Amino acid sequence: MAHLFPKSIQWRLQAWQGFLLVCVLTGFGFTAYHLQRLNHFRQIDDELDRRLAALNSEIVARPPFGPPHGSARPDLGPGPGPLHDGPGGPGGPRGGPGDPFDGRRPPDGPFENRTFQVSPATQRLFDPSDANGFYYLLWSRSGTLIAGSTNAPANVVPPAPRTDTLTHIRVRQSRREAYHFTEIGECILAGRSIRADLDILNRFAGFLVVAGGTVLTLGLGGGAWLIRHAFRPLNAIGTAAHRIAAGNLSERIPVGQTDDELARLAGVLNATFARLEAAFALQRQFVADASHEMRTPMTVLITEAQATLARTRTAEEYRETLKSCLDTAQQLRRLTESLLQLAQLDAGQESFQHQPCDLADIARACVERLRPLVAERGLRIECDLLPSPACGDAGRLGQVVTNLLSNAVVYNRDRGSIRVRCGPHADGVCLSVADTGIGIAPEHLPRIFDRFYRVDPSRSGAPGRTGLGLAITKAIVEAHGGTITVTSESGVGTEFIVRLPAATPGDQHA
Ligand code: ADP
């Protein structure tokens, strides 16, 4: 079933809008027509009621019935008024066992042949010259037509007898008639042709249909325009996203001047695309740098091997070459291990132990391990190591301290010094490694943690200096929920500060 409807939101909105518009217009049209009809007929009914009341009051007050035929008619004045012998003719006699009026009024008989004349005032309410005007008819209890206006239609049938004296309305052949029965069972009826009224109402209905159709057409057209207009930015977003997905990462979604939801969405998507582009660029750069870094030792290996094999060598020469190849291979292994570690850190696959440890103990052990190197360079090292309980992987944290210490040794000046401190701080524990080395120029500081970034490649081109040490250090620190910052001054020295969250009671059981 769902496939019968178009999938585009635009078309679904359009369909819903059309459906709702049709519902609203139909509801409005029906309500308007019925209110108009109700109001119209209520006015007619009021008129009929007024006339019926006038007739009734005359019948009750005078009474308007003349004496039976053959007797004097003392109270009817100049004689019978315009009597209308309706085509219905005298109705069949009523009474008998089924007569609902039995016991409440005089029986039929001498009252059957009475005459009735309305007063001129009431007569004016029934203009006989108006074929569509009001008419009246009066039947005796037995259904005999007693009187009626000359414009009354020929085929009016007397209403079925009722036990009440209330006014009732009936509609017969484009005529609307109000009637009621008097206490003694006579039926008075006032009516009017409603053909002209029905024509008016039909014209009104036609007008409503035309107006509704016009409003529907305009509404659908306007709605389609509005929806298309509202969807234009979304389509632009879709088109731009399509081009970006196809590989054009520098493509951006056009953002309108307005500060609406779509403009904000476009802004967020553009920011996301910019980050994606930067990440891809970084990734590309990383792969290129990694390939480059690996190619150098590879080239060294191949060149040395080729040169050695070019002619016969002494055993000593072979040993030299093999030693050199081993160094290069170890450098290559360190590089690939660093790359692998970074890739695992990136992917969150590095398996960290999460155990309570003391950063001071870790730092002390690292210092001891590097002491020969420090001595070899003629450097002084000072330690100020306060108990610093942390939680994490002691091996990885040791790698952090070793990286920072080895940098402090490599990039120090002759007879310089290194100061290692650690202790608790406001939010946890911190470790500082400061040296009196060459320092880092301010323009290099922001990129110092980038992969393969080296301030002076010639200086840091020593074996094992891959430009990945600080990147790995930062990744390990961040994986422990910590931060690493650097302050440095060219020619004066550099200080790295690592901050780690303190161990919590829960960590003891981790
Ligand atoms: P590398 O293996 O080249 O030392 P690192 O990632 O450890 O790579 O360091 C990146 C660069 O940062 C180094 O090449 C060096 O230029 C600079 N650097 C790191 N530590 C220090 C320091 N303590 N003093 C001066 N420069 C430093």
Side-chain angles (χ1 to χ4, degrees):
M1 191 67 186
H3 66 275
L4 290 177
F5 298 99
K7 286 207 170 68
S8 121
I9 297 177
Q10 207 167 328
W11 279 108
R12 283 206 296 261
L13 273 179
Q14 185 85 67
W16 273 109
Q17 188 230 359
F19 174 71
L20 290 177
L21 211 55
V22 167
C23 287
V24 169
L25 286 174
T26 310
F28 174 78
F30 269 106
T31 310
Y33 177 79
H34 280 285
L35 283 178
Q36 177 69 10
R37 188 186 166 92
L38 214 67
N39 192 38
H40 206 89
F41 286 132
R42 190 174 294 140
Q43 281 176 12
I44 294 174
D45 291 347
D46 286 348
E47 290 291 308
L48 288 173
D49 211 32
R50 196 158 65 86
R51 282 161 174 79
L52 206 60
L55 284 168
N56 190 51
S57 65
E58 292 204 15
I59 290 169
V60 173
R62 284 215 276 177
F65 301 99
H69 280 297
S71 66
R73 296 163 31 212
D75 54 345
L76 287 184
L83 272 183
H84 176 65
D85 294 329
R94 296 181 192 164
D99 186 353
F101 300 105
D102 266 356
R104 293 206 294 115
R105 63 178 81 146
D108 289 343
F111 293 92
E112 280 302 291
N113 296 321
R114 288 172 303 184
T115 57
F116 171 69
Q117 184 181 25
V118 294
S119 70
T122 306
Q123 193 74 49
R124 275 195 294 277
L125 295 173
F126 301 93
D127 181 4
S129 62
D130 183 359
N132 284 325
F134 291 91
Y135 58 86
Y136 72 87
L137 289 165
L138 173 65
W139 288 277
S140 73
R141 179 187 165 204
S142 63
T144 308
L145 184 67
I146 298 171
S149 56
T150 51
N151 58 346
N155 54 351
V156 182
V157 180
R162 304 183 77 101
T163 52
D164 58 68
T165 56
L166 300 172
T167 300
H168 298 276
I169 299 289
R170 70 176 190 180
V171 178
R172 293 276 162 87
Q173 298 167 347
S174 307
R175 293 191 307 266
R176 198 167 177 87
E177 296 169 337
Y179 64 91
H180 91 129
F181 287 89
T182 63
E183 277 293 332
I184 55 168
E186 284 77 13
C187 177
I188 318 166
L189 178 142
R192 208 197 88 172
S193 165
I194 54 169
R195 195 177 298 279
D197 304 271
L198 289 177
D199 284 348
I200 290 173
L201 285 172
N202 285 344
R203 275 202 298 278
F204 181 62
F207 165 78
L208 284 177
V209 169
V210 172
T214 311
V215 172
L216 182 66
T217 312
L218 288 176
L220 283 177
W225 182 84
L226 268 180
I227 290 171
R228 209 171 311 126
H229 192 73
F231 269 75
R232 205 173 293 155
L234 271 183
N235 289 336
I237 289 174
T239 312
H242 198 70
R243 280 202 291 267
I244 291 166
N248 187 2
L249 288 178
S250 55
E251 175 86 28
R252 292 290 175 270
I253 298 163
V255 183
Q257 298 296 315
T258 52
D259 184 31
D260 56 15
E261 292 88 342
L262 286 176
R264 282 199 292 276
L265 173 68
V268 171
L269 285 175
N270 277 344
T272 309
F273 292 142
R275 275 207 302 279
L276 267 180
E277 189 186 12
F280 270 109
L282 216 65
Q283 191 74 19
R284 265 200 301 271
Q285 185 63 43
F286 179 68
V287 172
D289 289 345
S291 314
H292 177 77
E293 292 296 324
M294 291 177 93
R295 202 175 53 186
T296 310
M298 295 275 216
T299 310
V300 171
L301 269 179
I302 292 167
T303 312
E304 286 219 22
Q306 280 175 340
T308 308
L309 291 172
R311 61 181 171 82
T312 311
R313 307 272 175 181
T314 64
E316 185 59 27
E317 283 173 329
Y318 280 125
R319 191 175 297 111
E320 282 293 314
T321 306
L322 275 177
K323 188 175 172 306
S324 169
C325 283
L326 184 63
D327 286 347
T328 311
Q330 278 173 341
Q331 188 186 342
L332 201 56
R333 192 180 66 183
R334 275 194 296 274
L335 177 64
T336 48
E337 279 173 356
S338 297
L339 286 174
L340 189 65
Q341 190 178 7
L342 264 179
Q344 285 175 337
L345 283 165
D346 282 348
Q349 290 171 348
E350 182 85 336
S351 52
F352 282 103
Q353 288 181 352
H354 204 66
Q355 284 179 345
C357 53
D358 192 328
L359 201 54
D361 293 343
I362 294 171
R364 202 171 292 116
C366 292
V367 168
E368 291 312 315
R369 220 177 15 254
L370 284 179
R371 213 174 265 287
L373 191 64
V374 174
E376 190 185 301
R377 289 245 17 228
L379 303 172
R380 220 161 18 90
I381 188 159
E382 290 170 31
C383 294
D384 183 5
L385 305 172
L386 298 175
S388 311
C391 186
D393 190 312
R396 301 292 174 210
L397 292 175
Q399 193 180 351
V400 167
V401 182
T402 305
N403 280 351
L404 297 178
L405 268 177
S406 74
N407 278 356
V409 172
V410 171
Y411 302 107
N412 218 318
R413 62 177 163 78
D414 289 341
R415 286 185 298 281
S417 66
I418 300 169
R419 190 170 180 203
V420 186
R421 288 178 297 164
C422 81
H425 82 107
D427 301 321
V429 292
C430 91
L431 167 92
S432 150
V433 178
D435 62 63
T436 54
I438 56 172
I440 304 165
E443 67 270 23
H444 294 292
L445 276 178
R447 297 201 57 197
I448 209 74
F449 295 103
D450 287 358
R451 291 157 192 202
F452 298 111
Y453 190 78
R454 281 171 289 198
V455 174
D456 180 4
S458 62
R459 181 171 178 129
S460 53
R465 314 311 305 176
T466 57
L468 291 174
L470 285 181
I472 292 174
T473 301
K474 184 168 187 267
I476 293 174
V477 170
E478 287 178 351
H480 279 80
T483 57
I484 180 167
T485 53
V486 58
T487 50
S488 185
E489 198 178 331
S490 284
V492 177
T494 305
E495 181 180 20
F496 286 93
I497 297 178
V498 173
R499 292 183 178 85
L500 293 175
T504 60
D507 292 331
Q508 304 296 327
H509 309 291

